Amino acid sequence: MTENKREWFRITVTVLIVLAVAMFAAGLMLLGCGEINGEKKLEDMRTPVDENLTVVGVSQVGSESVWRTANTESIQNVFTKENGYFLIFDNARQKQENQIKALRSFISQRVDYIVFSPLTEDGWDTVLQEAKEAGIPVILIDRKVNVKDTSLYTTWIGSDFTREGRMAGTVLAKYLTRQGRQDDTIRIVVLQGTEGATATIGRTRGFREVAQQHDNWIILEQVDAEFTTAKGEEEMERLLDKYEDIDVLISQNDDMTFGALEAIDRAGKTAGTDGDIMIISFDAVKNALKLVADGVITADIECNPHQGEYAETVIERLEKGDPVAKLYFVPETVYTKNNAATALEEPED
Ligand code: GZL
Ligand code: ZN
């Protein structure tokens, strides 16, 4: 090899070595700041002051309804840095596999607590077993899980949905009696929420318990309208086409009621206590309470979305080593024309 070639060879080798070292160092740097495929790892997201924050991973069902938005706000308002928390929030967009992915991510990030509202009751045993083995307490809010081993979750905070369903039946009977229709044949349709969700199961069961006490009540059909306005409108339109005479709509959340009202209007029928179709709804969100005050919705069974503060209280107790109950029901009431207007005047809590 001539002298020139030897010189050229030496320079090339040197450049390659420098490049390799630089690449290696860059790689370390990258790993160092925890950026792996763009996902920041928790340890690196916590600045030093975060070390004493309680890390809470929250998996929310989705954003399918006005109620859900209020529920999410109640969580985000309470798990703040000022209150001593580092919140990791995931919206599952109504898909169970997204919730399972989020829970596994919380486990791998070694959060201190998991808080979640399960879309539907079945399919959680495995991932909750993983959380238990990781020593991470799980607090359920809103909906329940159907697991063999109830030690897989620490506590559940939510509504007594069966009681909500019973209240719908009781208030319907009261209004029919008031109208002298207690012995008339009453043709009922039910817009149900997401199939397999605790709210759907409980409200359906509770209403059916009361309906069975009235053999002049006929439930023509109950159909899954997924707690959304769009599906509520679509399914109500189909029911109005199919059944000539519907006296009562039981709608398992206000979002579906808003959709059903569009369909009722388009069908040239009137909704209301004194209209063609009497409506009993659930959630009692603000825009629905205005319809209750106007007599369009006859009664709205409140479903208290403010569960964030209850979950935070449970975590505070657990942090102190205090005992917590397995189940907490949030307070709820029934709104009718008599008390809806007053409720609307109350400041947003
Ligand atoms: C009830 C909750 C239900 C609401 C709906 O606690 O699970 O889910 O009634 C929401 O609005 O979609
Ligand atoms: Zn409720």
Side-chain angles (χ1 to χ4, degrees), residues 67 142 158-161 164 199 203 282-283 301-305 307 330-332:
W67 184 95
D142 174 24
S159 301
D160 182 345
F161 296 112
E164 290 180 0
R203 289 170 185 164
F282 291 80
D283 282 356
I301 318 298
E302 183 192 20
C303 185
N304 183 340
Q307 293 156 351
V330 292
E332 306 185 323

Side-chain angles (χ1 to χ4, degrees), residues 14 45 149 156 160 202 284 325 328:
T14 316
M45 285 194 318
D149 172 5
W156 172 79
D160 182 345
Y328 292 93

